[in-house]
Amino acid sequence: MTMSLRKIATIAAAAAAVLSQAVAQEEQERNFHKRHIPHRPDRPSIREQVTQKHANRRHHLQRHLSQLQSTISEHTSGRNLLSDEDYDRHLKFVQGLHRKLAALEDKDPRIAQLEIEEEIELHEKMLEGEFLWDMERGELVLKDDLQQ
């Protein structure tokens, strides 16, 4: 009887150790994206910053579009004339903003979430020093890509 109690106690202790390790790992994974930029604990976490940036994108595009449309309407009314080159550039820019807004409207939420996760991952890699400046390309590249 004492032998089976010891076995039960050993099994219970092993199960508790495995469970506590799993809980600790889950907590670590949950807190992974709550990291803040070093020396800036007053700023929101990287996840919050990236999510907020993606949420505000539509608002910023609409605001820019309305400003450009206002400039174009002032030109057509004669209040503030633009050069032909500037007028054409503004019209082309308005078309591009309409295209970007349409793409945002049509984007699948799952794809948007994947883009957010990828951007968070890149931020984490940058904080961990996994990027280097490539002088030939003139841009930041992953260390793995630079070595290949």
Side-chain angles (χ1 to χ4, degrees):
M1 182 83 169
T2 56
M3 185 62 133
S4 64
L5 285 176
R6 283 188 186 154
K7 286 182 181 179
I8 291 174
T10 305
I11 292 171
V18 168
L19 182 62
S20 68
Q21 184 180 13
V23 168
Q25 184 176 358
E26 182 180 314
E27 182 70 22
Q28 182 181 10
E29 288 173 0
R30 201 172 330 124
N31 289 330
F32 180 72
H33 290 301
K34 291 184 181 177
R35 285 188 48 191
H36 293 267
I37 297 173
H39 312 296
R40 293 304 306 264
D42 57 320
R43 305 237 6 230
S45 71
I46 293 169
R47 176 172 291 283
E48 291 167 340
Q49 289 179 36
V50 171
T51 305
Q52 189 66 32
K53 183 183 96 172
H54 280 264
N56 289 337
R57 180 165 168 73
R58 179 175 289 117
H59 170 71
H60 289 296
L61 289 174
Q62 288 171 337
R63 188 181 66 197
H64 197 173
L65 179 63
S66 67
Q67 289 172 347
L68 284 172
Q69 287 174 332
S70 171
T71 303
I72 290 172
S73 68
E74 285 181 6
H75 170 78
T76 52
S77 69
R79 283 187 300 239
N80 190 6
L81 294 177
L82 299 169
S83 68
D84 289 341
E85 186 178 296
D86 284 343
Y87 180 71
D88 291 339
R89 188 172 44 89
H90 279 61
L91 286 178
K92 189 174 181 179
F93 210 121
V94 165
Q95 291 172 350
L97 288 174
H98 278 296
R99 183 180 40 78
K100 286 180 180 182
L101 282 168
L104 274 178
E105 298 288 330
D106 296 340
K107 188 178 285 189
D108 185 1
R110 294 174 295 184
I111 295 200
Q113 187 60 37
L114 285 173
E115 290 173 354
I116 289 172
E117 295 300 326
E118 183 178 336
E119 188 171 342
I120 290 169
E121 184 180 331
L122 288 174
H123 273 275
E124 292 290 337
K125 286 182 177 182
M126 195 157 69
L127 285 176
E128 294 168 3
E130 294 187 29
F131 282 94
L132 292 175
W133 184 259
D134 185 356
M135 296 298 282
E136 294 174 7
R137 295 187 208 170
E139 62 184 6
L140 282 175
V141 293
L142 282 168
K143 286 180 182 178
D144 297 340
D145 293 344
L146 190 61
Q147 294 169 355
Q148 291 177 357

